[in-house]
Amino acid sequence: MTEVSALWMRRDLRLTDNRAMHEMQRWVEAEEDRQWFLVFHLDPHFYEYSCPHHDYFFQNLEKFRKECDDQHIQLYFLHGSADEAFTYLKEKVPALTHLFFNEDEAPQAARRDEQVLKEMQQRSVETHAYKDAHFHRSDEVKKKDGGLYSVYTPYYRAWRQLEKEQPFECRLGRIISQQARLDLPQKAAYNKLSSYLNNNGKTWERTAEKDGRERLETFVEEIAPEYHETNNALSSDGTSRLSAYLKTGRLSVRTIYQALSEQLEEGNPGAEAFVSELAWRDYYNMIHATRPELKNTELKEAYRYLPWEYDEKRLERWKEGRTGYPIVDACMRQLNEIGWMHNRGRMIAASFLTKDYLIDWREGERYFAERLIDYDPSSNAGGWQWAASTGTDAVPYFRVFSPVRQSERFDPQGDYIREYVPELHRVPKKYIHTPWKMNEQQQKEYGCILGQDYPKPDVDHAVQRKKAIEMFKGE
């Protein structure tokens, strides 16, 4: 009897260095009469709600489908709830005996996977899940006593000592003749994807797997050696810009690590600095897997009942980049325009919302979840709890970012501000960080009338800083 395996594609949209794909290929190659196929499940939670985060992912998915076509590989689609979709798959493909996929430890995804595993096992389908999106699973980096870390620095020291896997070879062309041809109706499922794509807004360029590899090559050769000195500069291309490729799985962490291996062996501080940031992904994955309340509840119990303010007008001004603080507004407008924000910018924007506007961090976390094309539920929630001083190993509540000082340090010439806040493009360096200090004549001279062309700040940072500290101290 012919055995058939399915490779469930998820956030791993690539045909190279894919752990589950590698393992499925090995399984197929072990017996001549084994067959295989690729499948993607379209979750209504995503295709029924349009936002830049979903737009970007589905555009990557469609690009991946075409890449599969170019290799004469059929990518099949399912839709509906996960357990129903895979039950239907087994009914339509009774010869299905094995399901391969790369695991996801984020709580919501893990619950979905557990349900699918249960349904499949009840129908005599063997399931095989593999670590792929991260270097290490949530339970791999442990203290000497066997416990898990709650502070990043010692976690990273232990993480750095663990061996990192090499890329996994994937050559589906070698087993193309064993690809199963299924009687699996596709019109209804694919129509969900095509309908979504036809109705979304912005179109992103450079979403192919090869684009991710080209960006990696540019980063390694031109940026990584000086990354430790350039990664906080808002106005220059001093970051990797690899996060969106990691999010969709166009690149694997193993491929990135291998590309940096020579610089790491030489002890290059830029490469080391970047690898330490990759470790944050593993760290927050560990935190989220073991603390499933991360997205919705403060990890520090003492801060679970803080009297956050809710001011809808201020929240909208923050979202729109109309706070009157140029650096905050530039960060938010960058997010709204291109679906991405510099990591330094994310910290500035998050600190401002929680410590200057005193608005609940969950409001910001949800907005970023919709707008970021590289949105990762664990890293995003972890980052927001860090900025709000409510999470594990978070910034102390009494360390409040000054938006002016951050602006002067990380955009000293104001180039980043002028790019995203064009109302200020004629304002000189002296006032670019604090335009409210211009007098009326200067405002006219530089073509920026406050309250008309650009808003005046509606809060005083010094005053709000004191309020934030008092709120955390319970005064």
Side-chain angles (χ1 to χ4, degrees):
M1 176 180 174
T2 300
E3 293 181 294
V4 178
S5 66
L7 175 58
W8 179 10
M9 305 301 301
R10 292 132 67 88
R11 53 173 179 171
D12 49 5
L13 304 179
R14 62 184 181 278
L15 295 170
T16 59
D17 187 16
N18 184 313
R19 176 70 187 277
M21 186 176 291
H22 169 82
E23 298 295 344
M24 183 202 70
Q25 182 176 330
R26 290 181 61 202
W27 179 86
V28 172
E29 290 178 325
E31 300 287 345
E32 290 185 1
D33 63 345
R34 287 178 174 175
Q35 297 183 347
W36 63 277
F37 65 96
L38 305 188
V39 64
F40 186 92
H41 168 237
L42 293 161
D43 190 327
H45 173 72
F46 296 105
Y47 66 70
E48 291 180 354
Y49 179 68
S50 178
C51 64
H53 162 214
H54 296 169
D55 294 351
Y56 182 78
F57 186 87
F58 282 133
Q59 287 178 36
N60 273 266
L61 176 59
E62 175 63 3
K63 179 75 75 173
F64 177 71
R65 183 192 67 79
K66 292 178 179 177
E67 291 167 353
C68 288
D69 280 350
D70 291 341
Q71 300 296 320
H72 307 292
I73 297 168
Q74 171 74 51
L75 176 63
Y76 293 91
F77 289 94
L78 302 172
H79 70 100
S81 67
D83 55 335
E84 292 173 346
F86 281 90
T87 298
Y88 172 77
L89 178 66
K90 175 60 176 175
E91 291 172 353
K92 299 299 291 185
V93 189
L96 179 65
T97 57
H98 293 72
L99 177 66
F100 293 81
F101 64 93
N102 291 315
E103 67 185 7
D104 189 338
E105 293 189 286
Q108 184 176 354
R111 288 191 293 270
R112 172 204 62 199
D113 293 352
E114 187 61 33
Q115 184 63 35
V116 171
L117 294 181
K118 181 180 178 181
E119 295 292 336
M120 289 291 93
Q121 290 168 357
Q122 288 177 351
R123 288 164 175 76
S124 301
V125 177
E126 290 187 23
T127 55
H128 305 271
Y130 301 95
K131 174 184 66 181
D132 182 77
H134 298 89
F135 290 102
H136 300 290
R137 289 192 180 93
S138 60
D139 60 355
E140 284 186 39
V141 185
K142 296 180 179 180
K143 296 187 285 188
K144 291 182 179 180
D145 64 3
L148 297 176
Y149 291 94
S150 59
V151 177
Y152 173 75
T153 300
Y155 171 90
Y156 177 62
R157 284 197 293 265
W159 181 96
R160 193 70 179 86
Q161 295 302 312
L162 296 178
E163 185 177 354
K164 304 298 180 281
E165 292 175 325
Q166 294 295 308
F168 290 95
E169 182 182 50
C170 298
R171 294 184 181 179
L172 294 184
R174 296 198 315 207
I175 55 171
I176 202 74
S177 63
Q178 292 173 260
Q179 186 176 188
R181 298 300 177 184
L182 310 177
D183 181 20
L184 185 62
Q186 289 294 284
K187 184 175 181 180
Y190 184 67
N191 279 350
K192 300 291 184 183
L193 176 60
S194 58
S195 176
Y196 184 98
L197 292 171
N198 289 335
N199 289 295
N200 67 22
K202 179 180 174 60
T203 298
W204 279 272
E205 303 295 333
R206 302 189 62 77
T207 57
E209 182 176 343
K210 67 178 181 62
D211 293 325
R213 287 182 170 273
E214 288 174 1
R215 178 60 196 179
L216 174 60
E217 183 178 345
T218 298
F219 171 67
V220 171
E221 293 179 358
E222 301 178 11
I223 301 172
E226 307 298 328
Y227 181 79
H228 59 299
E229 296 179 348
T230 64
N231 69 326
N232 275 310
L234 289 164
S235 61
S236 64
D237 187 20
T239 61
S240 73
R241 293 294 185 105
L242 295 176
S243 58
Y245 295 114
L246 279 170
K247 159 63 185 178
T248 55
R250 304 306 251 155
L251 276 175
S252 83
V253 290
R254 294 176 298 272
T255 295
I256 295 174
Y257 195 88
Q258 184 187 57
L260 289 168
S261 60
E262 184 176 337
Q263 293 183 33
L264 291 171
E265 289 173 5
E266 295 172 350
N268 181 277
E272 287 287 350
F274 181 70
V275 166
S276 73
E277 294 191 2
L278 289 178
W280 275 103
R281 294 179 69 253
D282 281 19
Y283 176 74
Y284 279 135
N285 179 65
M286 178 268 292
I287 295 296
H288 201 187
T290 56
R291 302 290 298 274
E293 71 271 26
L294 178 67
K295 276 178 62 68
N296 300 302
T297 306
E298 290 82 359
L299 297 188
K300 291 184 178 179
E301 293 186 24
Y303 300 146
R304 287 184 179 173
Y305 303 101
L306 292 172
W308 297 107
E309 297 180 6
Y310 182 76
D311 187 316
E312 188 171 351
K313 290 183 178 179
R314 283 183 176 172
L315 179 60
E316 288 304 309
R317 281 197 286 270
W318 176 82
K319 289 179 179 180
E320 295 171 0
R322 301 280 300 167
T323 68
Y325 283 88
I327 196 64
V328 176
D329 295 342
C331 292
M332 294 305 296
R333 293 190 198 185
Q334 181 182 40
L335 172 64
N336 293 331
E337 287 182 29
I338 67 173
W340 181 86
M341 190 195 299
H342 194 293
N343 189 57
R344 171 58 55 176
R346 299 182 199 205
M347 291 189 282
I348 292 170
S351 179
F352 187 87
L353 183 70
T354 57
K355 304 292 178 62
D356 284 80
Y357 274 175
L358 305 178
I359 291 177
D360 194 325
W361 61 270
R362 281 163 282 250
E363 296 287 348
E365 196 280 335
R366 285 191 286 268
Y367 190 67
F368 275 24
E370 293 179 351
R371 307 297 303 191
L372 285 169
I373 61 174
D374 63 359
Y375 168 69
D376 176 274
S378 306
S379 294
N380 191 57
W384 272 95
Q385 289 229 37
W386 181 90
S389 302
T390 61
T392 179
D393 199 16
V395 62
Y397 70 83
F398 50 82
R399 281 184 55 200
V400 180
F401 281 19
S402 161
V404 173
R405 179 65 182 132
Q406 292 287 308
S407 186
E408 292 171 341
R409 284 187 64 191
F410 301 113
D411 186 31
Q413 303 303 316
D415 295 334
Y416 175 73
I417 291 172
R418 293 186 187 91
E419 179 178 0
Y420 288 103
V421 188
E423 307 96 296
L424 302 175
H425 77 280
R426 289 172 54 193
V427 175
K429 175 183 174 181
K430 182 178 180 179
Y431 298 111
I432 193 66
H433 309 292
T434 55
W436 56 87
K437 291 184 178 180
M438 295 189 294
N439 60 36
E440 290 185 10
Q441 181 58 39
Q442 290 167 329
Q443 291 176 41
K444 292 178 181 178
E445 180 182 352
Y446 304 134
C448 183
I449 306 300
L450 297 180
Q452 177 179 310
D453 301 312
Y454 184 70
K456 299 177 181 179
D458 60 350
V459 294
D460 182 316
H461 171 71
V463 172
Q464 297 303 103
R465 176 182 177 278
K466 290 180 181 178
K467 285 185 178 180
I469 293 174
E470 290 170 357
M471 179 179 75
F472 276 86
K473 291 171 67 176
E475 296 180 355

